[in-house]
Structure formats: structure tokens, C-alpha cells
Amino acid sequence: MNAKAATALSGRKSFPRGLSGDIDGSVAEMVAAAAGDVALIIDRDGIIRDLAVGNDDLLRDGAESWLDRRWLDTVTIDSKIKVEELLRDAQKGSTRWREVNQITSRRDSAMVRYVVIDARRDGQMIAVGRDERATTALQQRLVEAQQAIERDYSRLRDAEGRYRLLFKLSGEAVLVVDAGSRRIIEANPQAERILGRTQADLVGETFSRVFDADSQDEAASLIAVARSTGRAHPSQTRLFGRHRPLLASASLFRQDRASLCLIRLTRADQELSSDEANGPDLREVVERIPDAFLVTDSAMNILTANAAFLDMVRIGTAEQAQGQSLARLLGRAGLERNLLLDSLREHGSVRNFRTVLRNDYGDAEDVEVSGAAVPDGDDTVYGFTIRTIERRVNDRPQAVPELRQSVERLTELVGRSTLKDLVRETTDLVERLCIEAALELTKNNRASAAEVLGLSRQSLYSKLHRFGIGNLGPNEN
């Protein structure tokens, strides 16, 4: 490339002092390559006569094989029209950037963004290109992340809608109270009926003021006990202007870095007015929610279950489920069930415990389990909610069955093989799965995968050969 070509790269304007003619040709080539990842010298027939590459990825993809070939023959079919338009526009003196898919040595394509400039010498043109694959990969990951966020937001909104419905349709009077300010934040319709006030009147009211003067200290103590212990057992109170006694209980929970109390109000004599008796039954609401709900005794035998659970385990009726062991349907190889029960017995509750749920037909699906231990006289019962785990962007389902099958196979080999052999086989399996995960995460970019894994490229190529991953060529080692 001569000095005139270098002048053309700088734009329509020339150097005013005319010194560009003194620039060495090799320097002009370096300037062209620095302007992008690759620079092509193309003659009047569209043949690539020379090129300068400043991108290692393009060199590995066989950019030098484009020499002495028509530029049109080095791009994919959908990019041929773009190349023709770039060359035609350059001859007319206009320039613009266009994205072109260059064919690589692996017979796939690499997206390169080109601008073509007339070199003003024997019909020669200069095409300066920038490798857009990294940008495209980032854009793709951004789109995938946005889709994952949308799905998570949709699930969160659906869950909020379900539990908002449960809150409003509950047959119990429920208040949400700020534990710090002790003011009412929210009240369900049943609480409005019992208190004889609308939610607009209740929100912002001090909790103790809805009770009779003799019960206000008891109400204040209820919040204090819940703040210190997490739960306050039912105590008898009377509402302001009402003579019928109520049982009030409180449970503490946190939301948005604030401590809140869930207050339940029930009639001490369990008598309901005709309006309340006609209200929706809490059991009916639980029966209709889409998440599985069930209660077991301390031996994990099912006492009751809703329709969603019956659908998940393919059991026809609730009567058929009663008495069956949940331990037979939940968890892998007994270990997870023991962890779940130990957490329930030690902490009283467990949240978002990941495991599998099986049915009598041998099918299994990944689920999340939340549960709580509830005292029932001298015994303890367990309540569970179970929901299926939906796929996310970064899920790698192809590795899970293989890992599960390998663990089961290794378990069967205990006693027939030495521990050393079992550990070596397990290490090879985990190592191969980690390499496959790294290649998927980096879109099969081996240099990036080696960096993610903390390996040198030589070590990664050696392991790829060892496990037969990546379709390596004979010269890659």
C-alpha cells in the first residue's frame, strides 16, 4: 500500500502540506491495520491482493487464505450484495460501514464491520474491517439476561398475585403492622369486618388503639414479644367498643429491610356471624393455588394435600395420598431428605430447598421445597409447599442427568472397586463437566475458557484432547 492509500484512509481531505507522499509503504499498512482489525487491498476486479491483520482471532480463523481470491468468494451468500454495494459506493466516492459475514477456516462465519475507501490508484480500494464477534456475543448475552429478568419478574408478579388473593380471601382477620412504629400497614377484608372499619381508616392507625383500654397494654406487649422472639402466642384481648373477646397472635417477618408483624385475630368463642360464615373458606383457597401444599406427621406420612400436589405425583384423590410416605417421593438417595428434616427440626423452617420429586411411574422433576414445623400437642406436624423449578438462561440441563446417573453408578460400585479408583473417575467426570460449562459460557472461545478455569491454553488443549471435547484438529495441542 502506498502513501496515496494512506491519505485515502484519513478521509476525503488530503494533508495540506503534501508530506504524505514521504510516508513509507509499510507504515501506511500499519496505519490501515490500526484503524481496524483487518485491512484489505482490493484491485479493480474485486480480488484481494494484500491484507494486514491486527487481530489474533482472525489470523486463527484463516484470514490469510483470503489472499488472491475474489472478496465475494470469501463471504457468505447473504453478504455478497453488501460487498458489491460497498465496492460500488467506494468508486462513487461515498463511504459507509456495513456488517459482512466472512467465511472462516472452520466453515462457519465471523461478523466483520467494513468501510471501503477508493485508493485512487489503478482502481484499487482499501477495505478496513473491525471484528464484531465480541460485541455480538455481549449483545446476545444482554438479550438473554433481559429475557431471564422478564421471566423472573413475571413469576414474581404471579406469585405476588396468588398470595395477595390468599390474603384477601382468607377467612381469618389479618393485619400487617410495622414493628418499629407499631402502625397498621395493611388489613384484609375479614379484619375490616371484625374491626368495623375500612382499610383507609385502619392504615396508619396505631395498632394498640383498635383495642379497648384494658387490652392496649396486652396489644403492645404482643408486638414487643414478636420482635424479641419472632413469634407471640395468642393472647386474649377486646376490641374498642366491643365486648366479645378476641385471640390475637403475632409473627415477625422482614421485608425491604423493615421488620413487620403479621397479626391474626380470631374469635375466642369461635362464633362467626352469618356474613362471615358465608365467606370463602381458607381450605378452599389453598386447594386452588397452583403451588403444591401438603401436611405430614412427624414420620413424614401425608395427612392432607391439595390438588396441585396430587397432579405433580400423579395420585388420583386426596384419600389415596393420605398415609403415604412423603420420604418415598421426595429427595435423592435419602441424603437430601435427612438434610431437609434436620433443618426443620433444628430451625423450625426451611426455604427454597432444591431437590427432586418423583411419582409412582418413575418420572422425576426438579423442585424447590419450603417447609415449617408446627407443634400439635405432644406431636409435631410439617407443612410443605413445593413448586417446580423453571429453566433459566444459564441452566445446563445436559450435564445434570449424566452427573446423576454417574453418582448412582458410582454408588453401586462401592465395595467392588477401590476408593482410589472411584475418586479418580469422579474427578474426571467433574473436570469434563466444568470444561464443557466454561466453553458454553464463553461461546466456545477456548482462550477465554482457559482464563475462566484458571488454566493455561496448553493445559486446556491437553484436557480437550483427553476428553474428546471440541473437535480439535491434529495440529492443536
Side-chain angles (χ1 to χ4, degrees):
M1 183 171 62
N2 58 12
K4 291 183 179 180
T7 304
L9 279 176
S10 64
R12 298 287 297 168
K13 297 180 180 179
S14 60
F15 292 103
R17 296 185 178 180
L19 299 179
S20 59
D22 298 331
I23 297 177
D24 184 78
S26 60
V27 175
E29 290 176 1
M30 288 189 290
V31 171
D37 295 312
V38 61
L40 311 177
I41 304 298
I42 304 168
D43 65 14
R44 64 173 65 251
D45 296 323
I47 298 175
I48 301 174
R49 293 304 183 186
D50 202 355
L51 59 80
V53 182
N55 183 301
D56 292 339
D57 291 333
L58 287 175
L59 281 175
R60 284 192 295 269
D61 288 334
E64 293 182 347
S65 65
W66 305 341
L67 280 171
D68 299 323
R69 297 173 59 191
R70 295 174 68 235
W71 191 14
L72 284 173
D73 297 334
T74 66
V75 301
T76 59
I77 295 176
D78 59 305
S79 297
K80 292 183 181 296
I81 296 177
K82 296 180 182 179
V83 169
E84 292 174 348
E85 292 176 350
L86 282 170
L87 294 174
R88 186 168 56 250
D89 291 344
Q91 291 173 349
K92 295 178 180 178
S94 63
T95 58
R96 58 172 172 162
W97 290 92
R98 299 291 299 272
E99 292 176 348
V100 174
N101 292 319
Q102 291 278 173
I103 299 174
T104 67
S105 57
R106 298 192 302 268
R107 308 310 299 171
D108 56 5
S109 62
M111 182 177 290
V112 182
R113 195 162 177 253
Y114 281 105
V115 63
V116 180
I117 304 167
D118 187 358
R120 300 180 183 178
R121 178 187 178 188
D122 299 329
Q124 287 185 347
M125 285 167 282
I126 303 171
V128 179
R130 298 172 182 170
D131 191 350
E132 294 290 307
R133 284 177 294 184
T135 303
T136 302
L138 287 175
Q139 291 174 341
Q140 180 64 30
R141 295 186 65 180
L142 176 61
V143 170
E144 292 174 350
Q146 289 174 334
Q147 291 174 347
I149 291 172
E150 287 295 330
R151 287 193 292 270
D152 289 342
Y153 175 73
S154 178
R155 285 194 295 270
L156 179 62
R157 183 176 55 193
D158 292 342
E160 182 180 1
R162 290 195 297 267
Y163 295 112
R164 176 66 59 183
L165 178 66
L166 182 62
F167 178 75
K168 289 186 176 295
L169 297 183
S170 173
E172 292 185 329
V174 181
L175 299 172
V176 179
V177 178
D178 188 313
S181 65
R182 304 192 178 187
R183 295 184 180 275
I184 298 173
I185 296 175
E186 196 169 2
N188 72 344
Q190 184 70 4
E192 295 179 22
R193 284 194 289 269
I194 288 181
L195 299 176
R197 300 167 64 177
T198 64
Q199 178 160 228
D201 295 331
L202 289 171
V203 172
E205 177 70 278
T206 301
F207 171 64
S208 60
R209 290 184 181 177
V210 302
F211 295 93
D212 191 74
D214 295 337
S215 298
Q216 289 186 3
D217 290 342
E218 187 70 27
S221 175
L222 194 72
I223 302 295
V225 171
R227 290 189 65 181
S228 60
T229 64
R231 178 176 297 179
H233 294 293
S235 59
Q236 187 165 305
T237 59
R238 292 183 185 275
L239 294 175
F240 179 76
R242 306 286 181 92
H243 299 290
R244 181 175 292 176
L246 288 176
L247 291 177
S249 61
S251 299
L252 187 74
F253 68 98
R254 292 190 61 82
Q255 178 178 308
D256 296 334
R257 298 187 179 182
S259 296
L260 305 177
C261 283
L262 190 71
I263 309 295
R264 298 170 57 199
L265 303 175
T266 57
R267 293 275 172 82
D269 53 10
Q270 296 298 314
E271 292 180 1
L272 296 176
S273 66
S274 59
D275 289 340
E276 295 163 346
N278 294 330
D281 188 0
L282 178 60
R283 288 173 296 181
E284 182 180 354
V285 176
V286 171
E287 182 69 14
R288 296 189 179 187
I289 62 175
D291 289 344
F293 177 84
L294 69 153
V295 178
T296 72
D297 59 17
S298 57
M300 295 286 281
N301 296 318
I302 298 174
L303 300 177
T304 182
N306 69 348
F309 176 79
L310 301 179
D311 290 340
M312 292 176 72
V313 296
R314 309 288 179 84
I315 295 178
T317 64
E319 288 75 17
Q320 293 175 343
Q322 290 176 0
Q324 291 200 33
S325 174
L326 179 62
R328 183 176 62 84
L329 305 172
L330 191 68
R332 302 181 181 93
L335 177 62
E336 290 182 343
R337 292 191 296 272
N338 294 337
L339 290 174
L340 179 63
L341 283 176
D342 291 343
S343 296
L344 281 174
R345 291 164 181 164
E346 182 178 356
H347 304 290
S349 65
V350 65
R351 179 184 298 176
N352 298 337
F353 184 90
R354 291 200 171 197
T355 183
V356 296
L357 183 69
R358 294 180 297 275
N359 58 38
D360 289 335
Y361 301 100
D363 299 328
E365 61 181 325
D366 294 332
V367 296
E368 279 186 353
V369 180
S370 296
V374 181
D376 185 21
D378 295 334
D379 200 2
T380 300
V381 297
Y382 300 126
F384 297 95
T385 59
I386 303 174
R387 69 180 183 88
T388 58
I389 301 175
E390 298 181 9
R391 294 179 182 270
R392 298 173 185 256
V393 169
N394 59 347
D395 283 346
R396 298 179 179 91
Q398 67 274 12
V400 174
E402 182 178 353
L403 181 59
R404 186 180 303 134
Q405 293 171 5
S406 297
V407 171
E408 293 175 354
R409 184 167 62 83
L410 289 172
T411 304
E412 294 173 356
L413 291 176
V414 173
R416 289 183 285 175
S417 298
T418 65
L419 179 61
K420 182 178 180 181
D421 292 337
L422 293 177
V423 170
R424 182 170 60 251
E425 185 172 348
T426 305
T427 303
D428 291 343
L429 172 64
V430 173
E431 191 172 20
R432 182 169 63 82
L433 291 177
C434 290
I435 292 173
E436 290 176 346
L439 290 173
E440 181 182 350
L441 180 65
T442 59
K443 305 298 182 183
N444 211 34
N445 187 316
R446 293 167 189 158
S448 300
E451 183 176 353
V452 168
L453 295 169
L455 300 172
S456 65
R457 293 190 187 181
Q458 184 75 16
S459 297
L460 178 61
Y461 283 131
S462 175
K463 294 179 183 297
L464 292 176
H465 274 294
R466 177 184 173 189
F467 296 121
I469 302 174
N471 296 325
L472 294 175
N475 296 326
E476 293 182 280
N477 48 51

